[in-house]
Each structure stands twice: as structure tokens, then as C-alpha cells.
Amino acid sequence: EDQVTQSPEALRLQEGESSSLNCSYTVSGLRGLFWYRQDPGKGPEFLFTLYSAGEEKEKERLKATLTKKESFLHITAPKPEDSATYLCAVQSAAGGYNKLIFGAGTRLAVHP
Amino acid sequence: NAGVTQTPKFRVLKTGQSMTLLCAQDMNHEYMYWYRQDPGMGLRLIHYSVGEGTTAKGEVPDGYNVSRLKKQNFLLGLESAAPSQTSVYFCASRGSNPGQENEQFFGPGTRLTVL
């Protein structure tokens, strides 16, 4: 069964304190792995898609990496505006483009 | 462009009542989705549509019905609401052109409470 587990559930950082969020997955043939950002009371907002082990994507202070079993979202020198819940999702070859399996998310709080 | 919009934003129902949630998108997307989000759990797919006039079941379809009469609209219906359907409901859409297969655009959500 396809499964996505994110850790930690919650993370508190001081402004400028770099860290990483983890997304572990088991899937029957990975088609793609996705990272979304979700602000309180809003819908998820797309950040990155990763397709194969070794691939990396960057956007401002965020960098996503992928291995055969997990993905990391590295946050470098975070600012308070990076506070949000970060969601990871996978698409399997069996499920196709229409079925995303989401993790429960990591709530990130960055304090000044 | 408004993107994906959902109405209503909030709703409180009594057990057994019915209601319809409306999702509209102005991006001419073929694919539309309904998810529910519960505390401590990931978003779960309820139903989806691959085009006007089509619908398909997702991971948790029981107790819900959907319709896609117009390309831009996707309706989610609860015929007889139950407390277990208390949740935040999100609609999403995506395009079908090459390169658009993977990015789903989400609406702001509808918070539903069933008493």
C-alpha cells in the first residue's frame, strides 16, 4: 500500500536557524513526489515536483531533495514568513496522475 | 484570474441534513478533485473528474456524490450528513497539457461541521 510519513509533526525554529523536514514514502513505482505549502485557513500551494532519486529543486530559502526512500525539504536561514505547514505527496505509477497520496504535514513555526 | 474558488467558506449542519459544496475554476482545466482534510491525517481524495460529464471515485467516496455538468464547476453533495463528515473540504484542479500533469491548484477550502 502506498504510504507517506512526514517528520517531525511540528518544528519550532529561531529566525536564521536552518533545518530539514523529512518525507518518507513507500510506493509501487514513483511517478512523482510533491511538496506543498499550506498557510492557516488556506489551501495548499504547490512548491516542487521531484521525479527521480538524486534530483534537487530550489526556490528562495527552500531546497528539496529526493532519494529512493525519502525526500528532504531543507530550509536555509528561515524567516518568520516561512511559518506554515509543509505537505508532501506522492504519485504512483499504479495510481496515475489523478491520485496523490499526502502525508499529514509538518507544522513549521519560525520565531524572530 | 480568480483561480479555484469554493462556496460556502463555512457551514454547520445537523445530522441527516443535506448540502452541496460548489467549486469553480477559471483556468479551463480538464481535471478537478475533491479532498477532505482531517487533523493528523493527510488530504484524502473523495472523488475526481477527468472532464465535463465524467466522475470517478477516490479513496474515501462513501456518503458523497459529485457532478460535473460544466467544465468549470465541480459539485460535491452530502445527501445525509453524519458527524464523521465534519472536516475541511478542498477542491483542486489541474491542466492536461504536457508539463501540467503534476501541479494541482487548490481552492481556499470549506469548513463543515456536522452536529
Side-chain angles (χ1 to χ4, degrees), chain B residues 86-102:
Chain B
T86 293
S87 188
V88 182
Y89 292 86
F90 288 99
C91 177
S93 71
R94 71 168 175 90
S96 57
N97 293 333
Q100 293 182 319
E101 305 93 343
N102 295 310

Side-chain angles (χ1 to χ4, degrees), chain A:
Chain A
E1 182 181 339
D2 299 340
Q3 195 168 1
V4 176
T5 303
Q6 292 188 245
S7 62
E9 287 185 17
L11 181 62
R12 177 188 171 117
L13 298 174
Q14 289 297 123
E15 185 172 2
E17 178 187 3
S18 301
S19 187
S20 297
L21 313 182
N22 177 264
C23 172
S24 297
Y25 64 91
T26 54
V27 65
S28 53
L30 181 70
R31 186 189 288 268
L33 184 141
F34 309 87
W35 283 99
Y36 283 83
R37 170 189 170 128
Q38 185 174 23
D39 292 304
K42 295 189 176 181
E45 178 183 348
F46 172 79
L47 291 173
F48 304 109
T49 306
L50 301 168
Y51 294 101
S52 58
E55 189 175 0
E56 300 181 351
K57 293 271 180 77
E58 286 189 66
K59 181 178 180 180
E60 296 181 357
R61 295 175 292 282
L62 301 178
K63 179 179 172 181
T65 62
L66 181 65
T67 72
K68 289 186 178 180
K69 293 184 178 181
E70 57 192 350
S71 176
F72 292 93
L73 185 65
H74 306 278
I75 304 176
T76 302
K79 297 182 178 182
E81 53 262 42
D82 294 321
S83 298
T85 295
Y86 291 86
L87 306 176
C88 173
V90 297
Q91 245 178 18
S92 71
Y97 290 119
N98 293 309
K99 296 185 179 178
L100 292 180
I101 306 298
F102 281 86
T106 293
R107 291 190 315 277
L108 174 66
V110 181
H111 297 271

Side-chain angles (χ1 to χ4, degrees), chain B residues 11-16 78 81-87 112-115:
Chain B
R11 186 73 186 268
V12 178
L13 291 178
K14 294 182 179 179
T15 297
L78 285 73
S84 61
Q85 294 177 304
T86 293
S87 188
L112 175 66
T113 301
V114 183
L115 302 176

Side-chain angles (χ1 to χ4, degrees), chain B:
Chain B
N1 288 350
V4 179
T5 58
Q6 294 182 232
T7 53
K9 288 185 168 52
F10 303 94
R11 186 73 186 268
V12 178
L13 291 178
K14 294 182 179 179
T15 297
Q17 288 184 319
S18 63
M19 78 163 294
T20 301
L21 283 67
L22 170 64
C23 175
Q25 52 93 7
D26 61 2
M27 297 173 283
N28 201 36
H29 284 169
E30 290 292 334
Y31 300 87
M32 296 187 75
Y33 308 85
W34 276 107
Y35 292 90
R36 61 179 288 172
Q37 186 174 40
D38 301 294
M41 302 183 71
L43 285 152
R44 291 181 292 168
L45 182 64
I46 304 171
H47 286 281
Y48 64 99
S49 169
V50 301
E52 182 178 321
T54 75
T55 62
K57 293 180 179 180
E59 182 185 359
V60 288
D62 294 343
Y64 305 96
N65 56 74
V66 288
S67 64
R68 182 100 181 265
L69 299 180
K70 294 182 178 180
K71 185 177 183 179
Q72 63 268 33
N73 295 337
F74 195 27
L75 305 179
L76 177 70
L78 285 73
E79 289 187 349
S80 179
S84 61
Q85 294 177 304
T86 293
S87 188
V88 182
Y89 292 86
F90 288 99
C91 177
S93 71
R94 71 168 175 90
S96 57
N97 293 333
Q100 293 182 319
E101 305 93 343
N102 295 310
E103 182 178 351
Q104 293 189 14
F105 293 83
F106 283 82
T110 294
R111 185 173 294 274
L112 175 66
T113 301
V114 183
L115 302 176

